[in-house]
Amino acid sequence: MSVTMDTLVSLCKRRGFIFQSSEIYGGTGSCYDYGPLGVELKQNIKRLLWRDFVQSRADMVGIDASILMHPMVWKASGHLDHFTDPMVDCRDCKLRFRADHVDALPWTHYCPATKGNKFTIPAGEPCSHCGARRTLCPDCGKGELTAPRQFNLMFKTFMGPVEEDASVAYLRPETAQAMFVNFDNVLQSMRLKLPFGIAQAGRSFRNEITPGNFIFRTREFEQMEIEYFVNPRDAVDGRPADEHWHDRWIADCMAWFRRYGLREENLRLREHEKDELSHYSKRTVDIDYRFPIGWSELMGIANRTDFDLKQHSKFSGKSLTYFDEERKEHVVPYVIEPAMGVDRALLAFMADAYVEDEVRGEKRVVLRFHPELAPVKVAVLPLLKKREEIVRAAHAIRADLAKQWRVVYDDTAAIGRLYRRQDEVGTPYCVTVDVQTVGDSEKGETGDGKATIRDRDSMEQIRAPIDALPGLFHDLLSGGAWSQVAVRFPAAK
Ligand code: ATP
């Protein structure tokens, strides 16, 4: 079953993942705020990207550059001249659309065959009553659309106290350029040898004409981009090094998404047609995901050739080359760029994790997040909140586990409901503390010092000593499968 966007939007708001920005003022168009669980999930995505693509690789380093860059950066990169989308306006209602998106929108139609009744007709389809196809504004259905005009997507602002042309600055529309302009700084300070890559994760801004579909297309978003520099003179397995590394990065990125839970049937590669390629690109391949809105780009992996380094060298007058010791010559490296949208990745992980199943005749909503992605790793739940020893023991377990992971305590409902709540936000494990754990001091009974651990996906339960919990969760949360780790302990009765 595939989840709808409306279901995700409502779950995100209800359970503290994502809120409309400035909601109490009516909201800011296409801007979103990550709530307490959303921020954990997003940070986990960024942490895993950084760990897997930067820290664990000998050929990668990272930077964190400022968002405001010298305006010449955007002249040299081509963004000032080319970072545009074709825009059309409705002459009647004045709404604006991206010309290439209009055909993909459902359209409003006042059908003459039904005395002018209003219908919303799916994108690309004719009216089933009169057979007409959309020629007018897809929103109001009344106005003619203007001819397309080019619209630059960069946000403009002013540096310093004077608002004049000389002080115009731009919010970066991508993180990539900082890696190019810092190429020589990084190369010299880190004494790197080709091939190597520089990564950066951070905010980008695009004044999108038609943002929408929740966090899929927003005007402020986070990217993680990698610029992987290779020597174009080198060959690997008989192929030019840039082509070899391009394929390697496509495979590595696909494997990364699969590793953290995206299902094979929801992923595909899409090769850009020649006429669709950006001005700098020799070849671009998108990883598409089957989002609730249909197949759409999750990330792009481009071979940007030596375009950017050459442009920045030309505009800055600084040499941006690499000295090839073997051939005793300076070369301008080629660059392979895996460019990922963190928010889009988050949306894909949520959509893929969403499952509705049935437990004892009741609907259960589960986000089957990979444990490393899950915003909360463990929830500690007291079975009886009136028993002081139980509550005390549960708080102590939470505090101990929270030294290493995001762990929550909840006693605000009966246990069945508490489990459902944790399932719905994707918490992989719950720990319950009961009378058996702590015993009954009034009756002189001591507890067994064990707690019940419940697995989100199988709903199986085991009983383990409290002091074994850190070790147990270490195994489970660092990739150990429940079926293998749980056998060390008896099933809970
Ligand atoms: P699109 O064709 O969807 O506009 P793009 O090809 O312009 O995207 P890139 O410039 O290749 O996108 O950016 C790399 C990645 O950054 C995209 O694959 C996407 O995940 C993310 N991204 C780009 N624009 C946005 C946006 N407006 N909102 C959220 N994420 C975005």
Side-chain angles (χ1 to χ4, degrees):
M1 188 212 73
S2 53
V3 61
T4 64
M5 196 68 108
D6 284 349
T7 304
L8 283 183
V9 173
S10 124
L11 171 66
C12 281
K13 176 167 179 184
R14 193 160 32 84
R15 301 309 314 274
F17 282 92
I18 301 170
F19 310 122
Q20 170 78 65
S21 161
S22 319
E23 195 185 274
I24 59 166
Y25 288 103
T28 320
S30 91
C31 291
Y32 292 92
D33 296 343
Y34 285 84
L37 294 188
V39 70
E40 298 285 345
L41 177 59
K42 190 155 131 184
Q43 279 184 6
N44 289 342
I45 294 172
K46 289 193 285 183
R47 184 178 52 80
L48 294 173
L49 279 169
W50 202 258
R51 184 187 74 187
D52 298 339
F53 287 129
V54 184
Q55 287 173 336
S56 66
R57 293 179 61 135
D59 57 349
M60 289 291 307
V61 294
I63 60 166
D64 181 12
S66 83
I67 287 172
L68 296 170
M69 302 180 75
H70 195 288
M72 281 305 280
V73 168
W74 308 114
K75 183 71 192 156
S77 68
H79 281 85
L80 269 177
D81 298 323
H82 300 292
F83 197 58
T84 55
D85 275 337
M87 173 179 78
V88 291
D89 292 288
C90 169
R91 291 190 200 279
D92 199 65
C93 71
K94 310 292 180 215
L95 269 186
R96 290 198 154 156
F97 305 91
R98 218 169 107 171
D100 54 331
H101 283 177
V102 166
D103 291 338
L105 294 172
W107 54 287
T108 301
H109 175 52
Y110 296 89
C111 177
T114 61
K115 296 186 188 148
N117 280 346
K118 183 180 169 187
F119 297 102
T120 301
I121 301 182
E125 289 184 18
C127 170
S128 58
H129 303 284
C130 70
R133 291 195 168 267
R134 189 196 60 73
T135 52
L136 302 172
C137 168
D139 196 68
C140 72
K142 292 176 186 155
E144 294 276 346
L145 296 175
T146 60
R149 280 176 299 145
Q150 290 303 324
F151 173 79
N152 196 299
L153 300 186
M154 281 199 293
F155 276 98
K156 241 187 212 177
T157 185
F158 298 95
M159 284 266 222
V162 191
E163 293 194 7
E164 56 178 28
D165 285 352
S167 62
V168 166
Y170 300 92
L171 301 188
R172 68 180 178 203
E174 60 174 33
T175 58
Q177 296 305 319
M179 272 81 93
F180 300 125
V181 302
N182 277 302
F183 172 78
D184 202 51
N185 283 337
V186 175
L187 179 68
Q188 300 307 336
S189 58
M190 305 307 287
R191 304 182 178 284
L192 298 167
K193 293 263 173 284
L194 288 179
F196 69 85
I198 311 177
Q200 170 167 225
R203 301 238 168 196
S204 293
F205 302 82
R206 296 183 188 178
N207 200 2
E208 300 275 4
I209 299 165
T210 36
N213 291 318
F214 195 32
I215 55 168
F216 179 82
R217 187 180 304 285
T218 51
R219 294 195 168 109
E220 176 180 346
F221 53 97
E222 279 198 71
Q223 290 186 307
M224 161 127 171
E225 293 188 292
I226 292 168
E227 306 306 324
Y228 195 77
F229 299 96
V230 303
N231 191 334
R233 297 290 196 94
D234 285 349
V236 186
D237 300 335
R239 296 175 65 207
D242 59 313
E243 294 178 12
H244 163 86
W245 281 105
H246 197 179
D247 283 336
R248 269 288 293 276
W249 275 105
I250 294 167
D252 285 356
C253 292
M254 277 293 259
W256 191 85
F257 283 117
R258 282 193 217 105
R259 175 174 170 189
Y260 294 107
L262 297 194
R263 276 165 289 177
E264 193 67 50
E265 69 262 30
N266 292 333
L267 286 166
R268 73 172 186 200
L269 294 177
R270 193 183 73 83
E271 192 87 31
H272 280 215
E273 302 289 338
K274 285 273 171 284
D275 60 351
E276 188 194 351
L277 287 177
S278 313
H279 56 283
Y280 50 73
S281 172
K282 171 171 161 185
R283 177 186 174 216
T284 298
V285 174
D286 286 345
I287 296 184
D288 282 358
Y289 178 74
R290 203 204 310 240
F291 285 96
I293 50 168
W295 285 103
S296 309
E297 176 180 332
L298 174 57
M299 73 174 293
I301 304 152
N303 182 342
R304 294 177 77 123
T305 68
D306 54 9
F307 175 83
D308 303 88
L309 290 179
K310 277 193 171 156
Q311 284 291 102
H312 286 301
S313 184
K314 185 168 131 198
F315 279 80
S316 68
K318 300 275 184 319
S319 159
L320 296 174
T321 57
Y322 172 85
F323 187 66
D324 181 341
E325 301 277 355
E326 224 174 275
R327 300 184 181 91
K328 303 282 178 243
E329 63 181 14
H330 288 274
V331 288
V332 182
Y334 266 36
V335 66
I336 306 301
E337 179 191 74
M340 167 141 13
V342 175
D343 312 77
R344 274 192 204 175
L346 186 143
L347 185 60
F349 282 125
M350 275 205 115
D352 224 295
Y354 185 95
V355 180
E356 283 176 16
D357 58 15
E358 214 181 271
V359 179
R360 282 179 231 103
E362 256 186 61
K363 182 175 116 174
R364 174 174 91 130
V365 172
V366 195
L367 285 177
R368 290 188 179 226
F369 284 132
H370 184 285
E372 294 211 70
L373 283 179
V376 175
K377 310 297 182 199
V378 181
V380 186
L381 316 169
L383 213 57
L384 290 173
K385 71 171 179 184
K386 292 204 176 99
R387 285 285 293 272
E388 209 184 298
E389 309 94 295
I390 294 181
V391 170
R392 211 179 312 122
H395 278 301
I397 294 172
R398 190 213 65 83
D400 188 38
L401 297 177
K403 289 178 198 150
Q404 299 185 69
W405 304 285
R406 182 79 184 133
V407 181
V408 297
Y409 169 94
D410 193 3
D411 66 5
T412 55
I415 192 68
R417 159 130 356 153
L418 293 180
Y419 280 152
R420 297 291 168 272
R421 274 190 204 158
Q422 296 302 328
D423 290 341
E424 203 185 24
V425 299
T427 306
Y429 306 106
C430 290
V431 172
T432 45
V433 180
D434 52 27
V435 181
Q436 239 185 308
T437 316
V438 294
D440 189 337
S441 52
E442 279 177 19
K443 291 188 192 151
E445 289 168 11
T446 52
D448 64 4
K450 292 180 179 171
T452 300
I453 295 93
R454 170 189 182 267
D455 173 48
R456 174 196 68 203
D457 296 342
S458 65
M459 289 188 288
E460 285 169 10
Q461 302 192 356
I462 56 170
R463 191 101 183 140
I466 289 173
D467 54 12
L469 295 181
L472 172 67
F473 286 122
H474 175 270
D475 294 348
L476 286 171
L477 294 169
S478 59
W482 170 263
S483 57
Q484 279 158 22
V485 179
V487 289
R488 302 207 300 256
F489 300 97
K493 292 186 195 85

